[in-house]
Amino acid sequence: MTERTAKRILDQAMPVETKILDTTEEGLEEAGSILREGGLVVFPTETVYGLGANALNSEACRNIFRVKGRPADNPLIVHLSSLQELPLYTREVPDTCFRVMERCMPGPVTFVLPKAFCIPDIVTAGLPTVAIRIPAHEEARKLIRYAGVPIAAPSANRSGEPSPTTFEMAHHAMFGRVDAILRGEPCRIGLESSVIQIRGNRIELLRPGFISLEDLAYLGQDSGLEVVDLSGSTSETAPPPSPGMKYLHYKPKATVYLFTSLSDLRNPLEPLPPSAIVLCTPKSGTSEDLTMVREWKGFRVHVYESLKEYARNLFAQFHEADKYTYPAVLAWYPPAKGIGLALRNRLIKAAGGRFL
Ligand code: TXA
Ligand code: MG
């Protein structure tokens, strides 16, 4: 055990001194050595900010669970800087799988693979598989190279809260809990990576993200792979059958309500809150409906030009709602195509299945 990890265990309840580092060569080098020595570093990626630790150091990884308040049965993603490192941390990657990986990595996608012995059980929550991601984000990959070890990193939020997509959000969630936070730009994608597993001739989607079902079908077609959605997000019927208590995730303090068309707000199923942030696109309803909502006092309306823009801003708007104490966010529930599937997955959980 390194001095750094030992000290953290002794000082459980004590705040940690957090360095703010820039993503310059010096900043990345310093953050890399903090990671190598067993410290925790928050860093930007193209999807969301991650809370990183040396993936080969069980104690450092245990601190991730402590700092996040994360249940021990939820495994971590291990981040590498290139596919060349893959054989060190995985076993028996079939050729078909490797061909798909080559075509989408580095990128916003995570592959679940059989794990090598060197990956500690705490990282994989005792599973025989390990989730591997190679971020497209240049500075994230440089950080991993400076660290010289694979980096285990979940999203840098406290468990249950929205993932941070800006430095401000990451700072808010983790300052005083980690050794360093790298000050990067807002995340380009804004939703966590697609998590997939290739078994037999199937690409199984476990968590939808920017790499969509359609993208996966395209990536797999040369190898004769079919794509199956196991994320439970494909259902075209909204509202979904049974929302229930399992959807405790991505939740801001503000109550999130979903709507399938702006016209639903004329005659809502529940009384509208006195003020709210409204998130929609030009496809969310007629221009008359949009004008109506824009005229409501106390409502701040964002009309994103595309689903990608909507996805990029979703978690940041959850944060804005809490920062400015809006009681609610009214969010459009888009069709399940492309990144719409990932948006629906996060929205349903954030709203606990609540529709207007
Ligand atoms: O974009 C992302 O993926 C971000 C950035 C930081 O890389 N990370 C992230 O990590 O979202 P986290 O911990 O918030 O989500 C990891 C997801 C969880 O749903 C976890 O259950 C799943 O990946 N996962 C990890 N290891 C797994 C495994 N061996 N088998 C199946 N699912 C796994
Ligand atoms: Mg997360």
Side-chain angles (χ1 to χ4, degrees):
M1 191 187 305
T2 63
E3 213 175 290
R4 203 182 276 278
T5 51
K7 182 170 180 302
R8 187 183 302 275
I9 289 163
L10 288 174
D11 293 352
Q12 252 343 278
M14 302 283 287
V16 174
E17 194 183 315
T18 303
K19 273 192 177 170
I20 305 298
L21 299 170
D22 285 314
T23 54
T24 54
E25 293 298 323
E26 297 74 42
L28 292 167
E29 187 172 8
E30 183 170 356
S33 70
I34 293 173
L35 284 167
R36 193 170 50 250
E37 285 173 30
L40 296 184
V41 174
V42 170
F43 63 100
T45 81
E46 75 276 25
T47 56
V48 301
Y49 275 71
L51 167 59
N54 177 348
L56 304 178
N57 178 331
S58 299
E59 275 316 316
C61 292
R62 205 177 305 283
N63 284 330
I64 289 182
F65 287 86
R66 290 201 182 103
V67 161
K68 264 188 79 99
R70 182 177 177 105
D73 64 356
N74 195 0
L76 306 176
I77 295 176
V78 173
H79 297 70
L80 308 179
S81 71
S82 87
L83 264 179
Q84 278 153 1
E85 298 157 32
L86 195 68
L88 296 171
Y89 308 112
T90 59
R91 296 180 288 113
E92 300 155 20
V93 178
D95 281 350
T96 44
C97 180
F98 194 76
R99 274 205 294 278
V100 176
M101 294 179 82
E102 273 183 325
R103 295 179 68 183
C104 58
M105 287 176 131
V109 59
T110 295
F111 282 73
V112 173
L113 298 163
K115 88 173 188 82
F117 183 71
C118 65
I119 301 289
D121 281 344
I122 177 125
V123 170
T124 63
L127 293 173
T129 51
V130 59
I132 299 281
R133 173 156 128 75
I134 303 171
H137 197 279
E138 282 295 332
E139 283 83 22
R141 286 209 311 280
K142 261 190 198 166
L143 171 69
I144 301 166
R145 280 199 294 275
Y146 274 123
V149 288
I151 303 301
S155 48
N157 49 291
R158 301 267 297 153
S159 230
E161 292 175 4
S163 302
T165 54
T166 63
F167 168 72
E168 185 197 324
M169 290 174 78
H171 185 277
H172 182 77
M174 290 296 156
F175 188 79
R177 301 177 191 272
V178 297
D179 299 290
I181 304 177
L182 277 161
R183 190 202 321 259
E185 296 293 311
C187 301
R188 177 169 61 82
I189 290 176
L191 296 182
E192 305 82 352
S193 62
S194 314
V195 178
I196 68 174
Q197 182 161 30
I198 299 188
R199 287 200 290 190
N201 67 343
R202 294 180 7 155
I203 303 182
E204 299 171 345
L205 180 67
L206 308 181
R207 177 177 72 183
F210 186 83
I211 303 288
S212 65
L213 278 180
E214 295 85 343
D215 295 332
L216 293 172
Y218 177 75
L219 289 166
Q221 73 184 8
D222 290 351
S223 315
L225 297 170
E226 60 163 334
V227 181
V228 199
D229 179 17
L230 300 185
S231 73
S233 310
T234 310
S235 165
E236 274 300 332
T237 54
S242 158
M245 284 303 291
K246 60 183 163 163
Y247 301 121
L248 272 174
H249 221 31
Y250 310 114
K251 269 181 146 21
K253 292 192 185 72
T255 308
V256 179
Y257 296 92
L258 308 180
F259 58 90
T260 48
S261 161
L262 282 168
S263 63
D264 300 347
L265 305 185
R266 289 182 184 276
N267 206 355
L269 296 173
E270 291 192 41
L272 286 179
S275 67
I277 289 183
V278 181
L279 308 176
C280 60
T281 79
K283 300 217 164 117
S284 309
T286 63
S287 52
E288 290 77 30
D289 287 335
L290 186 56
T291 308
M292 166 190 78
V293 179
R294 278 192 156 139
E295 281 168 0
W296 290 347
K297 283 223 162 50
F299 282 62
R300 196 208 284 179
V301 183
H302 293 280
V303 186
Y304 297 111
E305 63 193 31
S306 65
L307 285 187
K308 284 182 183 159
E309 271 293 301
Y310 183 7
R312 182 181 303 151
N313 287 285
L314 178 70
F315 291 148
Q317 285 305 320
F318 285 174
H319 180 71
E320 287 283 290
D322 288 350
K323 184 168 161 190
Y324 297 106
T325 59
Y326 279 89
V329 175
L330 315 189
W332 181 49
Y333 191 65
K337 278 212 333 238
I339 198 174
L341 189 70
L343 269 163
R344 287 163 68 116
N345 172 275
R346 309 310 189 272
L347 286 168
I348 280 285
K349 293 185 184 193
R354 198 181 287 106
F355 276 80
L356 285 174

